[in-house]
């Protein structure tokens, strides 16, 4: 995005979801209906600092957010924010999700009007969650707890063949590439990749074999943070070297020398 137009927030140039959708549809207008294409659209919302559109703020009931917060209040740590301030913060997050959802809808409608979804698969994923002060983390990227690691992976078939189907086995973002390739090419991607295609399971050709999913945040050791910044490590970043494995409905976290189970309290 254009820095002169949008400026910087915390050293990042952020383009609002509405402008991202408009840019994607502008690109799509150049396509012929018979063209093969891959359209990758990255919405920066929802992302701290939260600045949702006004309509989204009004559409998300604050009482609902308060109930949401209350259900997870036992996980909130290391914050001086009172209940009302926490509700405001969580409300900003929820309202940005609402605004992004509206823009994804506008994107799909625009592509559909041009006939570009007739035989196109749509894949929706997130790269991470937000801490929202659960386990003491406001943002993301420094631990391997579920609020940061568990993200949606949604695949839509143009004929609706996947509708209502839910895969029980854990999947990972590295599975997206071989899945997209197989759906696009109509045959398995033959080159070595880290992930596995979900296409056979999506069309009902058996269930995915159980496999462990590994997570790690080794570069957030206290020592490395101190080396990089030259400053005292904030308490909320003192996670050390964290690794985890998820399998068969269980999750084991190695937090320094202390193992943790799931649920994570």
């Amino acid at each position: 995005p254009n820095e002169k137009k949008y400026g910087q927030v915390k050293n990042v140039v952020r383009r609002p979801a509405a402008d991202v959708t408009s840019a994607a549809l502008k690109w799509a207008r150049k396509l012929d209906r018979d063209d093969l294409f891959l359209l990758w659209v990255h919405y920066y919302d929802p992302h701290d600092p939260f600045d949702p559109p006004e309509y989204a703020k009004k559409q998300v009931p604050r009482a609902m957010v308060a109930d949401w917060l209350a259900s997870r209040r036992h996980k909130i740590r290391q914050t001086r924010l009172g209940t009302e301030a926490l509700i405001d913060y969580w409300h900003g997050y929820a309202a940005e999700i609402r605004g992004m959802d509206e823009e994804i809808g506008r994107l799909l409608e625009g592509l559909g009007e041009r006939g570009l979804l007739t035989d196109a698969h749509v894949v929706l994923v997130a790269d991470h969650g937000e801490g929202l002060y659960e386990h003491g983390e406001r943002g993301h990227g420094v631990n391997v707890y579920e609020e940061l690691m568990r993200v949606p992976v949604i695949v839509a078939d143009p004929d609706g063949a996947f509708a209502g189907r839910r895969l029980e086995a854990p999947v990972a973002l590295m599975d997206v590439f071989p899945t997209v390739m197989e759906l696009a090419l109509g045959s398995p991607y033959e080159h070595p990749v880290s992930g596995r295609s979900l296409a056979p399971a999506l069309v009902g050709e058996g269930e995915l074999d159980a496999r462990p999913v590994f997570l790690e945040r080794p570069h957030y050791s206290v020592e490395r943070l101190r080396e990089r910044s030259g400053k005292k490590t904030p308490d909320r970043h003192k996670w050390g070297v964290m690794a985890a494995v998820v399998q068969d409905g269980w999750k084991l976290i190695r937090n320094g020398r202390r193992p943790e189970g799931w649920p994570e309290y």
Side-chain angles (χ1 to χ4, degrees):
N2 187 299
E3 182 176 348
K4 291 183 179 179
K5 180 177 181 179
Y6 298 107
Q8 286 193 4
V9 179
K10 291 186 176 181
N11 300 319
V12 174
V13 181
R14 173 174 175 170
R15 178 161 51 181
D19 288 6
V20 172
T21 297
S22 296
L25 291 176
K26 180 180 179 181
W27 179 88
R29 282 194 289 269
K30 301 175 183 178
L31 293 173
D32 186 275
R33 294 184 181 183
D34 296 325
D35 287 342
L36 295 175
F37 71 93
L38 170 68
L39 173 58
W40 180 76
V41 185
H42 176 210
Y43 290 98
Y44 197 77
D45 316 49
H47 203 291
D48 186 11
F50 305 128
D51 185 23
E54 287 300 319
Y55 77 84
K57 292 180 183 178
K58 296 176 182 177
Q59 290 178 349
V60 177
R62 197 170 186 276
M64 180 192 71
V65 176
D67 290 342
W68 180 30
L69 173 63
S71 70
R72 307 186 70 80
R73 195 65 175 82
H74 60 285
K75 289 190 176 184
I76 305 297
R77 301 174 190 170
Q78 295 179 355
T79 175
R80 297 178 181 177
L81 296 181
T83 299
E84 294 302 311
L86 276 171
I87 293 174
D88 288 341
Y89 187 68
W90 282 48
H91 185 266
Y93 178 66
E96 281 210 348
I97 292 175
R98 177 66 188 90
M100 182 184 64
D101 182 73
E102 184 79 14
E103 288 305 317
I104 292 174
R106 187 165 73 91
L107 173 68
L108 295 176
E109 288 176 1
L111 296 174
E113 289 171 358
R114 290 196 53 80
L116 295 173
L117 294 182
T118 303
D119 57 357
H121 288 88
V122 177
V123 181
L124 186 147
V125 300
D127 54 345
H128 57 74
E130 287 291 296
L132 304 177
Y133 292 104
E134 291 191 25
H135 292 94
E137 174 52 38
R138 174 187 173 112
H140 58 265
V142 301
N143 63 47
V144 295
Y145 292 115
E146 289 295 278
E147 59 267 19
L148 303 186
M149 297 290 103
R150 189 178 179 91
V151 298
V153 179
I154 302 172
V155 185
D157 179 86
D159 298 322
F162 304 162
R165 186 178 302 279
R166 182 179 180 130
L167 305 184
E168 296 299 329
V171 301
L173 293 184
M174 63 183 178
D175 299 329
V176 172
F177 174 71
T179 301
V180 168
M181 293 299 289
E182 181 165 350
L183 292 175
L185 300 175
S187 59
Y189 187 66
E190 297 179 351
H191 301 282
V193 291
S194 297
R196 63 178 173 181
S197 174
L198 310 178
L202 289 171
V203 299
E205 296 178 358
E207 294 293 329
L208 292 171
D209 293 334
R211 67 162 182 195
V213 174
F214 295 95
L215 314 167
E216 62 177 347
R217 299 303 297 176
H219 59 292
Y220 271 97
S221 68
V222 174
E223 294 76 20
R224 181 163 181 182
L225 278 169
R226 188 178 296 118
E227 290 173 0
R228 291 174 63 185
S229 66
K231 302 177 182 178
K232 180 181 177 181
T233 304
D235 287 340
R236 68 188 186 94
H237 284 170
K238 289 183 178 179
W239 297 105
V241 177
M242 296 188 75
V245 58
V246 179
Q247 187 172 19
D248 298 331
W250 295 88
K251 180 177 183 179
L252 178 66
I253 298 175
R254 189 74 172 180
N255 184 2
R257 296 181 178 180
R258 186 179 81 251
E260 300 182 31
W262 188 14
E264 303 156 343
Y265 297 127

